[in-house]
Amino acid sequence: MADKRETNLEKDDTLTTRQGHPVTNNQSIRTVGNRGPATLENYDYIEKISHFDREKVPERIVHARGAGAHGYFESYGTVGEDPASKYTRAKVFQDNGKQTPLFVRFSTVVHGRHSPETVRDPRGFAIKFYTEDGNWDLVGNNIKIFFIRDAMKFPDMIHAFRPDPVTNIQDSQRFFDFCSSSPESFHMVTFMYSPWGIPANYRMMQGSGVNTYKWVNSDGEAVLVKYHWEPKQGIKNLTVKEANEIQATNFNHATQDLYDAIEKGDYPEWELFVQIMSDGEHPELDFDPLDDTKLWPEDKFPWLPVGKMVLNKNPENFFNEVEQATFGTGVLVDGLDFSDDKMLQGRTFSYSDTQRYRVGANHLQLPINAAKKRVATNQDGGQMRYETDQSSKQNPHINYEPSTIGGLKEAEQTGKEYTPKVEGNLVREKIDRQSNTKQAGETYRQFDDWEKDELISNLIGDLAECDKRIQDKMVALAEEADDEYGKRLREGLAHAEKSGSSKNPLGNKDSEKAPDQAIEKGHDADRY
């Protein structure tokens, strides 16, 4: 017999408020008469609309547009032909066939959360490994190098690449103004203005840790290491024309491609390779191994396979998993360490600091970010905290360390600690071996003819609209990199007509015509 005190019948599929109150009318707010006005005590409406007003967290400053998937990393237990333990004591690499769950987020860098996935832009390639020793984040891009080598320049670089603060339109003159005055960027510019600047999708692009890290073994010995992901699906890139044709019909094509592939069981895979170098300055090289604008030559530092990644599960909720996923280059486990790479050092503070601002001080309590192992800290309070990190064996009154009456205690160090010697004056100086254009020339010579043609055409299209001083600087860098590269760029600019505007997405030289085309092609309509 029904309880006569029951006023709202509730079933398993009944809509409720976050307070657990059954919602009896989700169509109309409470008003004086059916025409209003509304009253302030509309609790159901106020809870609903106020949460809606806040349901988007601040978007990432960079890498705002993204897609993600779950999967696993399977270790080979070896680094090339050597046991992994020779180089690192990180458990994730030790055993053949060992699988570690992970989450990957792919992204574009410069533009906003709903920008097209066909833009000329680096792609982010960030992996969160849920290891038995806690989380490890490997945060990188699809291109193996970067525009700058010093973190001090990062905000200026992003400001120059993002839309103009007045017009809110990306401007290629701003881009080249920065790059022409930052010669270390020329290698990355060469990649970005070639078809490599527009990957066909996320499944068919390479990934890289970009920065130089260190591996440490049980004896406390370290080596320098770089990470490279190679897609087993092959590599595909797009020309401007091809990208524009795709964008005209679908500006979410890469997200859809990844989702659809996993949904139908065509699980994408990447093999992970590392390059290893002894820990030192390596004066025999014409570049500094910590310089992230440089590639390590493969003939001297071969790619050594260490495992593979398989993505086999789509997110159940995009916001909860992809949008709230947080990554940081400082998130390393025992056996992995930092190098003195200036960009890595700067990113290690910046990335995690950004996530504390964007998602909150307790972002690591969210399921997508939480370690899949025991966690016990003395951290307390902060916005959106919903559980304590204290151990069940811990005196709940003690949220500090050291303590003799039941607080948390330090872990025992097992592997020998790596203690590099650091010596020198504190200075603000550039590195000695810059070699800003040599590798750009090598990259240009390795391109196929069609890639060279696309590179030159894209550069001429955008540079033709730039200040002559900027053009001259870019031509000088190209000539320094490769005679043919420089000659083609110089001759192309000499014959190019400056007939448009630099206010356009990178590599889309005719985009400034779009506003007039919309008027010309638009169909008249009467008011209603």
Side-chain angles (χ1 to χ4, degrees), residues 373-425:
K373 65 173 292 293
R374 171 187 169 276
V375 172
T377 80
N378 286 324
Q379 295 173 9
D380 207 355
Q383 190 177 33
M384 296 296 290
R385 192 170 189 87
Y386 66 93
E387 64 183 7
T388 65
D389 289 345
Q390 291 182 319
S391 166
S392 60
K393 297 181 180 180
Q394 183 179 357
N395 182 340
H397 299 281
I398 309 302
N399 61 351
Y400 53 86
E401 190 281 327
S403 166
T404 57
I405 53 175
L408 294 170
K409 294 177 172 53
E410 296 171 329
E412 180 184 353
Q413 176 80 32
T414 53
K416 187 176 180 181
E417 189 168 0
Y418 171 58
T419 56
K421 183 178 180 180
V422 179
E423 183 178 3
N425 297 325

Short mmCIF file of all heavy atoms in Angstrom, two decimals, residues 373-425:
data_model
loop_
_atom_site.label_atom_id
_atom_site.label_comp_id
_atom_site.label_asym_id
_atom_site.label_seq_id
_atom_site.Cartn_x
_atom_site.Cartn_y
_atom_site.Cartn_z
N LYS A 373 45.80 4.15 -7.84
CA LYS A 373 46.50 3.49 -6.74
C LYS A 373 46.21 4.26 -5.46
O LYS A 373 45.55 5.30 -5.49
CB LYS A 373 48.02 3.46 -7.00
CG LYS A 373 48.66 4.84 -7.04
CD LYS A 373 50.18 4.76 -7.12
CE LYS A 373 50.82 4.21 -5.87
NZ LYS A 373 50.66 5.14 -4.71
N ARG A 374 46.70 3.75 -4.37
CA ARG A 374 46.53 4.41 -3.08
C ARG A 374 47.12 5.81 -3.11
O ARG A 374 48.22 6.04 -3.59
CB ARG A 374 47.24 3.57 -2.01
CG ARG A 374 47.34 4.22 -0.65
CD ARG A 374 48.21 3.36 0.27
NE ARG A 374 48.52 4.07 1.47
CZ ARG A 374 49.52 4.94 1.60
NH1 ARG A 374 50.28 5.21 0.55
NH2 ARG A 374 49.76 5.55 2.74
N VAL A 375 46.38 6.80 -2.57
CA VAL A 375 46.85 8.18 -2.44
C VAL A 375 46.67 8.61 -1.01
O VAL A 375 45.62 8.38 -0.40
CB VAL A 375 46.05 9.12 -3.38
CG1 VAL A 375 46.41 10.57 -3.11
CG2 VAL A 375 46.32 8.77 -4.84
N ALA A 376 47.67 9.21 -0.43
CA ALA A 376 47.58 9.71 0.95
C ALA A 376 48.43 10.97 1.07
O ALA A 376 49.65 10.92 0.93
CB ALA A 376 48.07 8.64 1.94
N THR A 377 47.78 12.11 1.28
CA THR A 377 48.49 13.38 1.41
C THR A 377 47.97 14.13 2.63
O THR A 377 46.97 13.74 3.25
CB THR A 377 48.28 14.28 0.18
OG1 THR A 377 47.01 14.93 0.28
CG2 THR A 377 48.34 13.49 -1.12
N ASN A 378 48.65 15.22 2.95
CA ASN A 378 48.16 16.13 3.98
C ASN A 378 47.54 17.38 3.37
O ASN A 378 47.31 18.38 4.06
CB ASN A 378 49.31 16.54 4.91
CG ASN A 378 49.69 15.41 5.86
OD1 ASN A 378 48.83 14.66 6.32
ND2 ASN A 378 50.98 15.27 6.11
N GLN A 379 47.27 17.35 2.06
CA GLN A 379 46.61 18.48 1.43
C GLN A 379 45.19 18.61 1.97
O GLN A 379 44.52 17.62 2.24
CB GLN A 379 46.58 18.29 -0.09
CG GLN A 379 47.96 18.28 -0.72
CD GLN A 379 47.94 17.93 -2.19
OE1 GLN A 379 46.87 17.84 -2.78
NE2 GLN A 379 49.10 17.69 -2.76
N ASP A 380 44.74 19.84 2.10
CA ASP A 380 43.46 20.08 2.75
C ASP A 380 42.75 21.24 2.07
O ASP A 380 43.39 22.14 1.51
CB ASP A 380 43.68 20.41 4.23
CG ASP A 380 42.50 20.04 5.10
OD1 ASP A 380 41.47 19.60 4.54
OD2 ASP A 380 42.60 20.18 6.33
N GLY A 381 41.43 21.23 2.11
CA GLY A 381 40.62 22.37 1.67
C GLY A 381 40.68 22.62 0.19
O GLY A 381 41.01 21.76 -0.63
N GLY A 382 40.33 23.84 -0.20
CA GLY A 382 40.30 24.23 -1.59
C GLY A 382 38.93 24.00 -2.21
O GLY A 382 38.12 23.20 -1.74
N GLN A 383 38.66 24.72 -3.28
CA GLN A 383 37.37 24.64 -3.94
C GLN A 383 37.12 23.25 -4.51
O GLN A 383 38.00 22.60 -5.06
CB GLN A 383 37.31 25.68 -5.07
CG GLN A 383 35.93 25.86 -5.67
CD GLN A 383 35.92 26.95 -6.72
OE1 GLN A 383 36.91 27.15 -7.41
NE2 GLN A 383 34.82 27.67 -6.82
N MET A 384 35.88 22.76 -4.36
CA MET A 384 35.40 21.50 -4.93
C MET A 384 36.11 20.28 -4.36
O MET A 384 36.14 19.22 -4.99
CB MET A 384 35.54 21.51 -6.46
CG MET A 384 34.70 22.54 -7.15
SD MET A 384 32.93 22.28 -6.94
CE MET A 384 32.67 20.82 -7.92
N ARG A 385 36.62 20.36 -3.16
CA ARG A 385 37.20 19.17 -2.54
C ARG A 385 36.07 18.29 -2.02
O ARG A 385 35.16 18.77 -1.36
CB ARG A 385 38.14 19.56 -1.40
CG ARG A 385 38.99 18.40 -0.91
CD ARG A 385 40.07 18.85 0.06
NE ARG A 385 41.00 17.77 0.34
CZ ARG A 385 42.06 17.49 -0.39
NH1 ARG A 385 42.33 18.23 -1.45
NH2 ARG A 385 42.87 16.49 -0.08
N TYR A 386 36.12 16.99 -2.34
CA TYR A 386 35.01 16.14 -1.90
C TYR A 386 35.46 14.92 -1.09
O TYR A 386 34.64 14.13 -0.65
CB TYR A 386 34.17 15.69 -3.10
CG TYR A 386 34.86 14.77 -4.07
CD1 TYR A 386 34.76 13.38 -3.93
CD2 TYR A 386 35.58 15.27 -5.13
CE1 TYR A 386 35.39 12.53 -4.82
CE2 TYR A 386 36.21 14.42 -6.03
CZ TYR A 386 36.10 13.06 -5.87
OH TYR A 386 36.72 12.21 -6.77
N GLU A 387 36.75 14.76 -0.87
CA GLU A 387 37.23 13.69 -0.02
C GLU A 387 38.59 14.07 0.52
O GLU A 387 39.28 14.93 -0.02
CB GLU A 387 37.33 12.37 -0.79
CG GLU A 387 38.36 12.39 -1.91
CD GLU A 387 38.38 11.08 -2.71
OE1 GLU A 387 37.51 10.24 -2.45
OE2 GLU A 387 39.28 10.93 -3.54
N THR A 388 38.96 13.45 1.64
CA THR A 388 40.29 13.68 2.17
C THR A 388 41.24 12.65 1.57
O THR A 388 40.81 11.58 1.11
CB THR A 388 40.33 13.55 3.71
OG1 THR A 388 40.03 12.19 4.06
CG2 THR A 388 39.32 14.49 4.35
N ASP A 389 42.52 12.98 1.55
CA ASP A 389 43.52 12.04 1.03
C ASP A 389 44.16 11.23 2.14
O ASP A 389 45.14 10.53 1.90
CB ASP A 389 44.64 12.82 0.30
CG ASP A 389 44.15 13.42 -1.01
OD1 ASP A 389 43.09 13.02 -1.50
OD2 ASP A 389 44.85 14.31 -1.54
N GLN A 390 43.63 11.34 3.34
CA GLN A 390 44.30 10.70 4.46
C GLN A 390 44.19 9.19 4.40
O GLN A 390 43.21 8.63 3.90
CB GLN A 390 43.73 11.21 5.79
CG GLN A 390 44.08 12.68 6.06
CD GLN A 390 43.56 13.14 7.39
OE1 GLN A 390 42.44 12.82 7.77
NE2 GLN A 390 44.36 13.92 8.11
N SER A 391 45.20 8.51 4.91
CA SER A 391 45.23 7.06 4.97
C SER A 391 44.29 6.57 6.07
O SER A 391 44.07 7.24 7.07
CB SER A 391 46.66 6.58 5.25
OG SER A 391 46.67 5.22 5.63
N SER A 392 43.73 5.35 5.88
CA SER A 392 42.86 4.76 6.91
C SER A 392 43.64 4.46 8.19
O SER A 392 43.05 4.34 9.26
CB SER A 392 42.24 3.46 6.36
OG SER A 392 43.25 2.53 6.01
N LYS A 393 44.97 4.36 8.07
CA LYS A 393 45.79 4.09 9.25
C LYS A 393 46.30 5.38 9.91
O LYS A 393 47.06 5.33 10.86
CB LYS A 393 46.99 3.22 8.85
CG LYS A 393 46.59 1.85 8.33
CD LYS A 393 47.81 1.01 7.96
CE LYS A 393 47.39 -0.37 7.44
NZ LYS A 393 48.57 -1.20 7.08
N GLN A 394 45.87 6.50 9.36
CA GLN A 394 46.37 7.79 9.83
C GLN A 394 45.45 8.35 10.91
O GLN A 394 44.22 8.23 10.84
CB GLN A 394 46.44 8.76 8.65
CG GLN A 394 47.00 10.13 8.96
CD GLN A 394 47.04 10.99 7.71
OE1 GLN A 394 46.71 10.53 6.62
NE2 GLN A 394 47.44 12.24 7.86
N ASN A 395 46.01 8.95 11.92
CA ASN A 395 45.24 9.68 12.93
C ASN A 395 44.55 10.85 12.23
O ASN A 395 45.22 11.73 11.70
CB ASN A 395 46.19 10.18 14.02
CG ASN A 395 45.46 10.90 15.14
OD1 ASN A 395 44.33 11.36 14.97
ND2 ASN A 395 46.12 11.01 16.30
N PRO A 396 43.22 10.89 12.16
CA PRO A 396 42.53 11.95 11.39
C PRO A 396 42.77 13.35 11.94
O PRO A 396 42.47 14.32 11.25
CB PRO A 396 41.06 11.54 11.50
CG PRO A 396 40.96 10.72 12.74
CD PRO A 396 42.27 9.98 12.82
N HIS A 397 43.29 13.46 13.15
CA HIS A 397 43.58 14.77 13.72
C HIS A 397 44.91 15.34 13.25
O HIS A 397 45.20 16.51 13.47
CB HIS A 397 43.59 14.67 15.27
CG HIS A 397 42.29 14.24 15.85
ND1 HIS A 397 41.22 15.09 16.00
CD2 HIS A 397 41.88 13.02 16.28
CE1 HIS A 397 40.20 14.43 16.53
NE2 HIS A 397 40.58 13.16 16.71
N ILE A 398 45.71 14.49 12.59
CA ILE A 398 47.07 14.90 12.21
C ILE A 398 47.13 15.09 10.70
O ILE A 398 47.11 14.13 9.94
CB ILE A 398 48.11 13.84 12.65
CG1 ILE A 398 47.93 13.50 14.12
CG2 ILE A 398 49.52 14.36 12.37
CD1 ILE A 398 48.05 14.69 15.06
N ASN A 399 47.19 16.34 10.27
CA ASN A 399 47.31 16.63 8.83
C ASN A 399 48.62 17.36 8.54
O ASN A 399 48.67 18.28 7.74
CB ASN A 399 46.11 17.44 8.33
CG ASN A 399 45.97 18.78 9.03
OD1 ASN A 399 46.68 19.05 10.00
ND2 ASN A 399 45.07 19.61 8.54
N TYR A 400 49.68 16.89 9.21
CA TYR A 400 51.01 17.47 9.03
C TYR A 400 52.04 16.36 9.20
O TYR A 400 51.73 15.25 9.65
CB TYR A 400 51.26 18.60 10.03
CG TYR A 400 51.00 18.20 11.48
CD1 TYR A 400 52.01 17.59 12.26
CD2 TYR A 400 49.77 18.42 12.07
CE1 TYR A 400 51.77 17.21 13.57
CE2 TYR A 400 49.52 18.05 13.38
CZ TYR A 400 50.52 17.44 14.13
OH TYR A 400 50.28 17.06 15.43
N GLU A 401 53.28 16.67 8.82
CA GLU A 401 54.39 15.72 8.92
C GLU A 401 55.66 16.52 9.20
O GLU A 401 55.85 17.60 8.62
CB GLU A 401 54.52 14.95 7.60
CG GLU A 401 55.47 13.76 7.59
CD GLU A 401 56.94 14.14 7.46
OE1 GLU A 401 57.25 15.16 6.80
OE2 GLU A 401 57.78 13.43 8.05
N PRO A 402 56.52 16.10 10.12
CA PRO A 402 56.53 14.83 10.86
C PRO A 402 55.61 14.84 12.08
O PRO A 402 55.22 15.90 12.56
CB PRO A 402 58.00 14.71 11.27
CG PRO A 402 58.45 16.12 11.41
CD PRO A 402 57.73 16.89 10.35
N SER A 403 55.29 13.63 12.52
CA SER A 403 54.44 13.46 13.70
C SER A 403 54.81 12.15 14.39
O SER A 403 55.19 11.18 13.72
CB SER A 403 52.96 13.42 13.28
OG SER A 403 52.17 12.95 14.34
N THR A 404 54.68 12.12 15.69
CA THR A 404 54.93 10.88 16.45
C THR A 404 53.63 10.25 16.91
O THR A 404 53.65 9.21 17.55
CB THR A 404 55.81 11.16 17.68
OG1 THR A 404 55.17 12.15 18.50
CG2 THR A 404 57.19 11.66 17.28
N ILE A 405 52.48 10.86 16.57
CA ILE A 405 51.20 10.37 17.10
C ILE A 405 50.23 10.00 15.98
O ILE A 405 49.02 10.23 16.08
CB ILE A 405 50.55 11.38 18.06
CG1 ILE A 405 50.43 12.77 17.41
CG2 ILE A 405 51.34 11.48 19.35
CD1 ILE A 405 49.67 13.78 18.29
N GLY A 406 50.75 9.46 14.91
CA GLY A 406 49.86 8.86 13.93
C GLY A 406 49.75 9.54 12.60
O GLY A 406 48.81 9.27 11.85
N GLY A 407 50.69 10.42 12.25
CA GLY A 407 50.64 11.08 10.95
C GLY A 407 51.26 10.23 9.86
O GLY A 407 51.81 9.14 10.10
N LEU A 408 51.17 10.70 8.62
CA LEU A 408 51.81 10.02 7.50
C LEU A 408 53.33 10.09 7.63
O LEU A 408 53.87 11.03 8.23
CB LEU A 408 51.39 10.68 6.18
CG LEU A 408 49.92 10.53 5.78
CD1 LEU A 408 49.61 11.44 4.60
CD2 LEU A 408 49.59 9.08 5.47
N LYS A 409 54.01 9.11 7.05
CA LYS A 409 55.47 9.05 7.15
C LYS A 409 56.08 8.98 5.74
O LYS A 409 55.44 8.56 4.79
CB LYS A 409 55.90 7.83 7.98
CG LYS A 409 55.47 7.92 9.44
CD LYS A 409 55.85 6.68 10.21
CE LYS A 409 55.60 6.87 11.70
NZ LYS A 409 54.24 7.31 12.00
N GLU A 410 57.32 9.39 5.63
CA GLU A 410 58.03 9.37 4.36
C GLU A 410 58.25 7.95 3.87
O GLU A 410 58.42 7.03 4.68
CB GLU A 410 59.38 10.08 4.49
CG GLU A 410 59.27 11.56 4.81
CD GLU A 410 60.63 12.17 5.14
OE1 GLU A 410 61.49 11.44 5.70
OE2 GLU A 410 60.80 13.36 4.85
N ALA A 411 58.27 7.78 2.55
CA ALA A 411 58.56 6.47 1.96
C ALA A 411 60.06 6.18 2.04
O ALA A 411 60.88 7.10 2.09
CB ALA A 411 58.10 6.43 0.51
N GLU A 412 60.40 4.92 2.04
CA GLU A 412 61.80 4.52 2.04
C GLU A 412 62.35 4.59 0.62
O GLU A 412 61.74 4.09 -0.31
CB GLU A 412 61.94 3.11 2.58
CG GLU A 412 63.38 2.60 2.62
CD GLU A 412 63.48 1.15 3.08
OE1 GLU A 412 62.45 0.60 3.50
OE2 GLU A 412 64.59 0.58 2.99
N GLN A 413 63.49 5.22 0.43
CA GLN A 413 64.14 5.30 -0.88
C GLN A 413 64.86 3.99 -1.15
O GLN A 413 65.70 3.55 -0.35
CB GLN A 413 65.14 6.46 -0.88
CG GLN A 413 65.95 6.61 -2.16
CD GLN A 413 65.18 7.31 -3.26
OE1 GLN A 413 64.35 8.16 -2.99
NE2 GLN A 413 65.46 6.94 -4.49
N THR A 414 64.52 3.33 -2.25
CA THR A 414 65.16 2.05 -2.57
C THR A 414 66.24 2.22 -3.63
O THR A 414 67.41 1.92 -3.39
CB THR A 414 64.11 1.02 -3.05
OG1 THR A 414 63.35 1.59 -4.12
CG2 THR A 414 63.18 0.66 -1.92
N GLY A 415 65.87 2.71 -4.81
CA GLY A 415 66.88 2.97 -5.83
C GLY A 415 67.81 4.09 -5.41
O GLY A 415 67.43 5.00 -4.67
N LYS A 416 69.05 4.03 -5.87
CA LYS A 416 70.02 5.06 -5.53
C LYS A 416 69.62 6.38 -6.18
O LYS A 416 69.28 6.44 -7.35
CB LYS A 416 71.41 4.63 -6.00
CG LYS A 416 72.52 5.57 -5.55
CD LYS A 416 73.89 5.05 -5.97
CE LYS A 416 75.00 5.99 -5.51
NZ LYS A 416 76.34 5.48 -5.93
N GLU A 417 69.65 7.43 -5.39
CA GLU A 417 69.23 8.73 -5.90
C GLU A 417 70.23 9.27 -6.91
O GLU A 417 71.45 9.14 -6.76
CB GLU A 417 69.07 9.73 -4.74
CG GLU A 417 68.42 11.04 -5.15
CD GLU A 417 68.02 11.89 -3.96
OE1 GLU A 417 68.23 11.45 -2.82
OE2 GLU A 417 67.49 12.99 -4.19
N TYR A 418 69.69 9.88 -7.95
CA TYR A 418 70.51 10.51 -8.97
C TYR A 418 70.86 11.93 -8.50
O TYR A 418 69.97 12.73 -8.21
CB TYR A 418 69.75 10.55 -10.29
CG TYR A 418 70.40 11.37 -11.38
CD1 TYR A 418 71.68 11.07 -11.82
CD2 TYR A 418 69.72 12.43 -11.97
CE1 TYR A 418 72.28 11.81 -12.81
CE2 TYR A 418 70.30 13.18 -12.97
CZ TYR A 418 71.59 12.87 -13.39
OH TYR A 418 72.18 13.60 -14.37
N THR A 419 72.15 12.22 -8.40
CA THR A 419 72.57 13.51 -7.85
C THR A 419 73.58 14.18 -8.78
O THR A 419 74.79 14.18 -8.53
CB THR A 419 73.20 13.33 -6.45
OG1 THR A 419 74.30 12.41 -6.55
CG2 THR A 419 72.18 12.80 -5.45
N PRO A 420 73.12 14.75 -9.88
CA PRO A 420 74.05 15.41 -10.80
C PRO A 420 74.69 16.63 -10.15
O PRO A 420 74.07 17.32 -9.32
CB PRO A 420 73.15 15.81 -11.98
CG PRO A 420 71.80 15.97 -11.37
CD PRO A 420 71.71 14.93 -10.30
N LYS A 421 75.91 16.91 -10.53
CA LYS A 421 76.60 18.08 -10.02
C LYS A 421 76.25 19.28 -10.89
O LYS A 421 76.33 19.24 -12.11
CB LYS A 421 78.12 17.86 -10.04
CG LYS A 421 78.90 19.02 -9.45
CD LYS A 421 80.40 18.73 -9.43
CE LYS A 421 81.17 19.89 -8.82
NZ LYS A 421 82.63 19.62 -8.80
N VAL A 422 75.84 20.36 -10.26
CA VAL A 422 75.48 21.58 -10.96
C VAL A 422 76.41 22.69 -10.49
O VAL A 422 76.58 22.92 -9.30
CB VAL A 422 74.01 21.97 -10.68
CG1 VAL A 422 73.65 23.25 -11.39
CG2 VAL A 422 73.09 20.84 -11.11
N GLU A 423 77.02 23.38 -11.46
CA GLU A 423 78.00 24.40 -11.11
C GLU A 423 77.97 25.51 -12.15
O GLU A 423 77.81 25.25 -13.34
CB GLU A 423 79.40 23.76 -11.06
CG GLU A 423 80.50 24.71 -10.62
CD GLU A 423 81.85 24.00 -10.55
OE1 GLU A 423 81.92 22.80 -10.90
OE2 GLU A 423 82.83 24.65 -10.16
N GLY A 424 78.07 26.75 -11.71
CA GLY A 424 78.11 27.85 -12.65
C GLY A 424 77.50 29.11 -12.06
O GLY A 424 76.86 29.08 -11.00
N ASN A 425 77.72 30.21 -12.74
CA ASN A 425 77.14 31.48 -12.31
C ASN A 425 75.67 31.56 -12.72
O ASN A 425 75.27 31.02 -13.75
CB ASN A 425 77.89 32.65 -12.95
CG ASN A 425 79.34 32.71 -12.52
OD1 ASN A 425 79.67 32.38 -11.38
ND2 ASN A 425 80.20 33.10 -13.43
#
